[in-house]
């Protein structure tokens, strides 16, 4: 395994991480940039937990662009098996090889030779974990996405990879990383992860962005929106996510939805938000019928009203 993660010189400080990620279209606050910096410096996997849509997956994509490494994604799901995550043998190719060789090999030594031949890497179908370990320099960014959706036994299987960047394949032995993969795990916290997994990772809870960070994101990703509309969208979504308003909804809008909303408002030539525009476009902010219905014009009017100064 290489002695360290090769990083861009711009990532040699926390400020550099923030600037580099911003250049890739991702606006990290200082605590998140610190977690990324330490993950790179210490060569430790980074576990990100938070509500869906707060930018966990996007961070891995941005790191891939900053580091100029391929992004390899393992999307976890209930019932995922080892062959989906690590490898499986190409049985068809092995059978063809055996048929071609059966007339060449004879006796017990011949059988052993045949077994050695069919369990070689050329018959191995590599899945994301193995692809990440064997990625050529400078290595890969591995995203283990929504790890909380996988079964608990899968977490036990991950321990060797997360702790030592290696895996064991019975027929081939231990395969170690050619270059340490930058590894990001995400969890929506649908269930608690095993403590052993957490111990092998750095941990960061990722929340919805604050108003200023959301403004930066909107200005960058939806430059067509005017300054006033961008300000209104950021203000509205942030108030909507805060109490007591957030309590009216099953799920408040994520970053991706606020960006999509801003784009939709631009497409509608909207210059200023009003209750009618808000309620008629609520299907972009929410994906649940009850949430759409909960955003009434009265509530929209209240959310659009100037905030009262604290007494």
């Amino acid at each position: 395994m290489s002695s360290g993660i090769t990083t861009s010189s711009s990532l040699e400080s926390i400020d550099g991480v923030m600037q580099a990620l911003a250049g890739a279209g991702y606006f990290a606050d200082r605590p998140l940039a610190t977690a990324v910096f330490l993950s790179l410096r210490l060569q430790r996997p980074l576990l990100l937990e938070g509500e869906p849509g707060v930018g966990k997956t996007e961070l891995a994509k941005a790191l891939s662009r900053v580091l100029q490494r391929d992004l390899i994604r393992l999307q976890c799901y209930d019932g995922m098996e080892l062959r989906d995550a690590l490898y499986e043998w190409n049985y068809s190719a092995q059978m063809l090889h055996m048929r071609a060789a059966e007339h060449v090999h004879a006796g017990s030594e011949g059988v052993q030779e045949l077994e050695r031949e069919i369990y070689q890497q050329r018959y191995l179908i590599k899945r994301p974990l193995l692809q990440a370990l064997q990625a050529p320099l400078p290595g890969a960014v591995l995203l283990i996405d929504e790890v909380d959706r996988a079964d608990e036994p899968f977490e036990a299987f991950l321990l060797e990879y997360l702790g030592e960047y290696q895996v064991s394949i019975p027929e081939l032995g231990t395969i170690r990383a050619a270059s340490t993969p930058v590894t990001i795990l995400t969890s929506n916290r649908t269930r608690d992860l095993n403590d052993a997994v957490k111990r092998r990772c750095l941990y960061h809870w990722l929340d919805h962005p604050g108003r200023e960070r959301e403004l930066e994101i909107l200005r960058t990703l939806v430059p067509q929106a005017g300054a006033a509309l961008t300000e209104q969208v950021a203000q509205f979504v942030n108030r909507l996510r805060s109490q007591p308003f957030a309590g009216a909804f099953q799920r408040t809008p994520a970053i991706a939805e606020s960006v999509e909303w801003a784009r939709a408002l631009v497409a509608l030539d909207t210059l200023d938000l009003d209750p009618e525009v808000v309620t008629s476009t609520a299907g972009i902010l929410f994906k649940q019928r009850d949430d759409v219905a909960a955003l009434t014009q009265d509530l929209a009017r209240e959310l659009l009203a100037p905030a009262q100064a604290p007494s």
Side-chain angles (χ1 to χ4, degrees):
M1 186 167 64
S2 65
S3 57
I5 292 177
T6 303
T7 61
S8 165
S9 58
S10 62
L11 302 181
E12 294 298 320
S13 68
I14 296 170
D15 288 335
V17 170
M18 295 176 72
Q19 292 169 9
L21 288 174
Y26 190 95
F27 297 91
D29 57 20
R30 194 165 191 83
L32 176 58
T34 301
V36 171
F37 173 79
L38 290 175
S39 173
L40 297 174
R41 181 61 64 90
L42 302 177
Q43 301 182 52
R44 296 279 301 279
L46 176 60
L47 169 61
L48 297 173
E49 282 196 327
E51 297 297 319
V54 294
K56 303 185 295 295
T57 299
E58 292 303 315
L59 176 62
K61 293 178 181 177
L63 273 175
S64 170
R65 294 192 292 272
V66 168
L67 296 168
Q68 298 183 347
R69 295 181 175 210
D70 289 339
L71 175 67
I72 298 175
R73 182 173 183 168
L74 174 61
Q75 180 64 54
C76 299
Y77 55 88
D78 184 24
M80 188 170 68
E81 298 183 5
L82 186 63
R83 64 184 180 184
D84 302 314
L86 181 57
Y87 76 98
E88 65 178 318
W89 290 106
N90 187 337
Y91 295 117
S92 298
Q94 287 176 317
M95 287 297 295
L96 288 172
H97 180 93
M98 291 174 67
R99 287 174 182 171
E102 63 184 358
H103 298 298
V104 177
H105 301 289
S108 58
E109 292 185 0
V111 171
Q112 293 173 359
E113 177 65 21
L114 186 57
E115 289 178 347
R116 282 193 291 272
E117 290 175 358
I118 63 173
Y119 288 115
Q120 296 182 27
Q121 294 225 18
R122 59 177 168 156
Y123 296 119
L124 202 60
I125 300 175
K126 300 174 184 176
R127 302 304 186 198
L129 291 181
L130 191 53
Q131 291 172 14
L133 290 179
Q134 297 191 318
L137 291 172
V141 173
L142 174 64
L143 169 62
I144 304 176
D145 212 7
E146 298 183 330
V147 65
D148 52 321
R149 292 186 180 277
D151 299 328
E152 291 185 19
F154 178 72
E155 291 182 50
F157 161 72
L158 276 179
L159 297 181
E160 184 181 12
Y161 172 86
L162 296 176
E164 301 169 68
Y165 294 111
Q166 67 179 37
V167 293
S168 298
I169 296 178
E171 300 85 355
L172 298 178
T174 300
I175 296 179
R176 297 180 175 84
S179 176
T180 308
V182 174
T183 304
I184 304 292
L185 297 88
T186 74
S187 167
N188 294 331
R189 213 174 184 185
T190 57
R191 65 175 177 82
D192 286 336
L193 300 178
N194 191 299
D195 286 344
V197 168
K198 292 184 175 180
R199 281 199 301 273
R200 285 160 173 80
C201 302
L202 303 184
Y203 176 85
H204 185 80
W205 173 264
L206 196 54
D207 216 335
H208 287 295
R211 178 178 165 279
E212 292 304 316
R213 184 174 160 227
E214 188 134 25
L215 263 178
E216 284 188 287
I217 294 170
L218 290 170
R219 287 171 181 152
T220 302
L221 299 183
V222 197
Q224 309 89 335
L229 181 62
T230 302
E231 180 82 30
Q232 281 188 310
V233 169
Q235 178 74 19
F236 184 90
V237 175
N238 267 267
R239 291 193 72 190
L240 192 151
R241 291 181 188 136
S242 64
Q243 295 299 336
F245 303 108
F249 306 100
Q250 296 179 38
R251 183 184 162 220
T252 53
I255 298 172
E257 282 137 8
S258 68
V259 169
E260 193 65 22
W261 193 40
R263 287 176 175 151
L265 294 169
V266 170
L268 293 171
D269 296 324
T270 303
L271 299 178
D272 293 293
L273 292 181
D274 60 53
E276 184 176 351
V277 168
V278 169
T279 53
S280 62
T281 55
I284 299 170
L285 289 172
F286 298 104
K287 308 305 176 187
Q288 298 285 342
R289 180 183 178 185
D290 290 345
D291 285 346
V292 172
L295 186 57
T296 62
Q297 289 204 15
D298 286 343
L299 180 56
R301 191 173 293 106
E302 188 175 355
L303 284 160
L304 290 169
Q308 295 182 350
S311 56

